[in-house]
Amino acid sequence: MDLKGRNFLKLIDYSAEEILYLVDLAGKLKEEKKKGIAHTHLMGKNIALIFEKTSTRTRCSFEVAAHDLGMHVTYLDPSGSQIGKKESIADTARVLGRMFDGIEYRGYGQEIVEELAKYAGVPVWNGLTNEFHPTQMLADLLTIREHLGRIKGVKLVYMGDARYNMGNSLMVACAKLGMHFVACTTKNYFPDEKLVAFCEKLAKGSGGSVTLCEDVEEAVPGADVVYTDVWVSMGEPESAWAERIQELMPYQVNQKAMGLAGENAIFMHCLPAFHDLKTAVGRDVHNKFGLDEIEVTDEVFEGDQSVVFDEAENRMHTIKAVMLATLGEGIL
């Protein structure tokens, strides 16, 4: 499997075989790290991390993965780059592409990372855009396989706001790999119709399926994975909370929902999660709306079915696989 020189912008660009190869490579690198086996295969290379949206997991995953592979990292925070402000995206890409061996971008529209990739001349990796979050998908797939022993045939129910990067990306991943994706939410929060139609065609070829459902008691039984994400994303107005809470509270992942899925189901969340009052956002929502928990209850988040911290760790191993495969050989 030769992925050297490829961009990693969205899973739509990759075949099922290529996606599974990256998951397998991540598993190998994870095992080596646990055993203390060094894999500094990219010694001396340099990468740039452009973060227009800040992050804990994505930044740390790229930095630790890069260091493990022997690379040097330059981090550009929201105030540290002129991209799209004083300098065009194309010009920024052509400058950075002459200094770095690879570029990560985390920010807003998918068109930005696509344009970076068009002009950079080196691999560009999507750390998150409004539309897609492909590195998270690899982490999720590795976590699912570790806990369930399989990927193909798994039923994944995504509860909450399915219109943006997480709902879109999970639907694409499931459709590509023969999984059964269910968006469980009110119709106002269903994914884009065109993307749904595209994924339905993919699913027919892979043996998977795509279902949109408004009824929790209809959607969740038989689920292998119950998944959710925050209801208001970074950059959205604070006023969005009132609307989301009113419309999405029936789709909170609580113990009743997990009971419908069954005791062998796992709970997943890409984090951060608002499951208690230990965050500023959580306390603010509590003061305004009287809620102690938002998209997931603390009972589920801290429960035996929750695999969220395995999932978070796997961000690093799968990002490492992407960088190794696109910058080096990445041979299993």
Side-chain angles (χ1 to χ4, degrees):
M1 185 71 68
D2 184 10
L3 302 180
K4 190 172 182 178
R6 290 274 297 274
N7 299 306
F8 191 70
L9 309 180
K10 55 188 184 298
L11 289 194
I12 291 171
D13 302 332
Y14 279 68
S15 69
E17 292 75 19
E18 289 169 337
I19 295 167
L20 291 173
Y21 168 77
L22 290 170
V23 174
D24 289 340
L25 180 58
K28 176 178 182 291
L29 294 169
K30 181 176 182 178
E31 182 179 3
E32 288 181 356
K33 186 174 177 69
K34 299 295 183 184
K35 291 180 178 179
I37 300 172
H39 38 250
T40 54
H41 308 298
L42 301 178
M43 183 73 72
K45 290 188 180 294
N46 296 278
I47 65 168
L49 307 181
I50 303 173
F51 277 67
E52 291 196 294
K53 288 185 178 180
T54 56
S55 168
T56 300
R57 277 151 299 282
T58 302
R59 178 182 177 179
C60 292
S61 295
F62 269 100
E63 291 196 348
V64 173
H67 292 152
D68 281 357
L69 291 169
M71 295 194 288
H72 305 286
V73 177
T74 297
Y75 174 74
L76 299 172
D77 67 17
S79 64
S81 168
Q82 301 297 338
I83 185 170
K85 301 166 190 156
K86 293 183 179 179
E87 187 168 46
S88 71
I89 295 164
D91 289 355
T92 300
R94 285 179 286 189
V95 169
L96 295 182
R98 289 171 178 245
M99 298 180 181
F100 295 96
D101 299 289
I103 302 168
E104 179 271 354
Y105 173 82
R106 178 184 174 92
Y108 296 95
Q110 180 72 16
E111 69 277 3
I112 299 173
V113 76
E114 298 279 351
E115 190 169 3
L116 277 172
K118 180 179 178 180
Y119 290 100
V122 297
V124 172
W125 311 297
N126 180 0
L128 173 142
T129 62
N130 293 339
E131 293 84 1
F132 294 106
H133 198 357
T135 58
Q136 180 68 52
M137 292 307 99
L138 295 181
D140 293 344
L141 292 168
L142 179 59
T143 306
I144 288 169
R145 191 175 68 180
E146 287 176 341
H147 284 273
L148 300 180
R150 69 193 195 283
I151 291 175
K152 189 175 180 64
V154 164
K155 178 180 178 180
L156 186 150
V157 177
Y158 182 82
M159 298 176 65
D161 190 345
R163 298 172 298 173
Y164 300 122
N165 47 41
M166 285 306 301
N168 290 344
S169 297
L170 285 166
M171 183 168 60
V172 170
C174 290
K176 286 247 179 190
L177 298 177
M179 300 168 68
H180 303 288
F181 174 82
V182 181
C184 181
T185 185
T186 179
K187 65 179 66 175
N188 294 333
Y189 294 85
F190 284 162
D192 176 75
E193 290 182 3
K194 290 182 180 179
L195 185 60
V196 170
F198 174 78
C199 289
E200 286 175 339
K201 290 182 181 179
L202 286 178
K204 285 182 180 179
S206 70
S209 63
V210 174
T211 303
L212 308 181
C213 183
E214 294 187 88
D215 187 345
V216 174
E217 294 191 359
E218 179 183 341
V220 176
D224 299 296
V225 180
V226 179
Y227 203 121
T228 193
D229 188 15
V230 295
W231 293 344
V232 175
S233 299
M234 189 183 305
E236 291 191 276
E238 191 175 309
S239 58
W241 276 112
E243 174 188 316
R244 304 288 166 80
I245 287 170
Q246 180 179 355
E247 297 190 336
L248 294 177
M249 189 52 69
Y251 304 99
Q252 180 191 66
V253 180
N254 50 37
Q255 202 56 51
K256 180 180 178 182
M258 293 304 298
L260 290 171
E263 62 181 11
N264 294 322
I266 58 175
F267 169 71
M268 300 181 71
H269 192 306
C270 57
L271 303 182
F274 300 126
H275 59 99
D276 56 25
L277 301 181
K278 297 177 182 178
T279 65
V281 172
R283 291 189 293 271
D284 187 53
V285 169
H286 172 77
N287 292 336
K288 291 179 179 177
F289 304 102
L291 298 174
D292 294 343
E293 308 152 317
I294 308 178
E295 76 278 2
V296 58
T297 63
D298 194 59
E299 182 180 16
V300 170
F301 187 87
E302 298 290 357
D304 293 338
Q305 291 172 283
S306 177
V307 299
V308 297
F309 295 110
D310 292 340
E311 184 184 2
E313 178 193 336
N314 283 339
R315 292 295 308 286
M316 187 267 290
H317 302 298
T318 47
I319 283 171
K320 187 186 296 183
V322 169
M323 293 194 294
L324 179 57
T326 57
L327 292 180
E329 298 302 325
I331 302 299
L332 285 171

